[in-house]
Amino acid sequence: EVTEDGFQYLRLNPEQRSGILTLSGPLSKKAEIAQSSPIHRGVFINHAVLCNEIPPPPDVVSGLPEQTEGMTNRERVESHTGAGTCGEGCHSSIINPPGFAFENYDELGRYRTIDNEQPINSADQYFFLDYGVVSWEDGVEFTRIVSESFEAHHCYSEHLLTYYLGRTVQEADEVLLSQMTEYSRSGASILELLEMLLTSQTFTSRGVE
């Protein structure tokens, strides 16, 4: 928090904020001008945090309907992409659930419990490789589940490998990637992960083309 005396440490409510994913910056970046965007937030979680591949959308996709009186933003999204719609395949079980987890945060990332004079529902479920289908009640619980998941640590390690090797991860990198993933899940810091990477044969040796 910025005050007249400069920066000041601000303790956030742990029942409302948990880690970087519930901060205003990432939340407002993946939002509409005047409303949150579960679809954009859900795609971001799948792509950037879990490294989950999502098929590209059709060439012609109609926009979401207008949010009418008494309709929550979640209901608006579900009416167009939820169960029984043409967008059900990718949206209802893959894209929308992680996005709905953050419906308690508006377009600026401000915490809220009411949307369009209706209570917000941020509960949903998602399939994780090592857990199966897991349910949550809000964004705080969801971020805890993600932070402990195989996918998140594997994805994080893959991003590090890609950046520092300057190329996409290859089949020959799988052993190192697996080691980094397990090391990350055990609580290793980014410095410890970088030490593992930068001292590995993958990083210090050149292969023959």
Side-chain angles (χ1 to χ4, degrees):
E1 181 182 32
V2 181
T3 66
E4 294 181 355
D5 299 324
F7 288 100
Q8 178 178 329
Y9 183 79
L10 179 64
R11 186 178 297 278
L12 301 176
N13 186 341
E15 295 183 0
Q16 300 177 1
R17 307 283 177 173
S18 174
I20 191 171
L21 296 180
T22 57
L23 295 181
S24 296
L27 290 167
S28 61
K29 186 176 182 180
K30 301 300 178 181
E32 299 175 7
I33 295 177
Q35 182 56 282
S36 66
S37 177
I39 294 176
H40 286 98
R41 290 173 177 176
V43 169
F44 170 76
I45 294 296
N46 275 281
H47 280 173
V49 180
L50 302 176
C51 289
N52 185 21
E53 294 294 328
I54 302 175
D59 293 333
V60 180
V61 179
S62 59
L64 292 173
E66 293 293 326
Q67 186 172 358
T68 59
E69 183 178 355
M71 172 189 284
T72 65
N73 188 45
R74 174 170 183 156
E75 291 171 337
R76 177 175 73 121
V77 173
E78 287 182 321
S79 71
H80 193 62
T81 63
T85 70
C86 60
E88 176 180 1
C90 288
H91 281 269
S92 64
S93 61
I94 302 174
I95 296 175
N96 291 355
F100 290 149
F102 300 100
E103 271 300 272
N104 279 117
Y105 309 93
D106 69 9
E107 67 276 8
L108 297 179
R110 296 172 298 194
Y111 187 81
R112 61 180 183 174
T113 58
I114 299 295
D115 175 28
N116 206 10
E117 300 184 356
Q118 300 297 321
I120 287 177
N121 174 19
S122 57
D124 218 304
Q125 59 183 23
Y126 187 90
F127 176 81
F128 291 90
L129 290 175
D130 47 358
Y131 301 142
V133 176
V134 181
S135 302
W136 63 84
E137 292 298 320
D138 55 30
V140 170
E141 186 178 8
F142 175 71
T143 56
R144 178 190 58 77
I145 295 169
V146 168
S147 70
E148 298 172 355
S149 70
F150 168 83
E151 286 94 330
H153 289 274
H154 188 272
C155 187
Y156 178 57
S157 300
E158 184 175 337
H159 286 322
L160 286 177
L161 270 174
T162 300
Y163 181 81
Y164 281 94
L165 295 178
R167 59 171 173 76
T168 57
V169 174
Q170 307 296 319
E171 184 177 351
D173 306 319
E174 289 299 327
V175 172
L176 176 59
L177 177 57
S178 178
Q179 292 172 341
M180 291 179 62
T181 299
E182 292 308 312
Y183 197 27
S184 178
R185 291 191 80 179
S186 72
S189 68
I190 185 172
L191 293 179
E192 291 171 322
L193 287 173
L194 288 179
E195 181 181 11
M196 173 181 281
L197 167 59
L198 299 179
T199 58
S200 68
Q201 186 176 3
T202 299
F203 188 84
T204 58
S205 303
R206 176 182 294 177
V208 178
E209 293 188 2

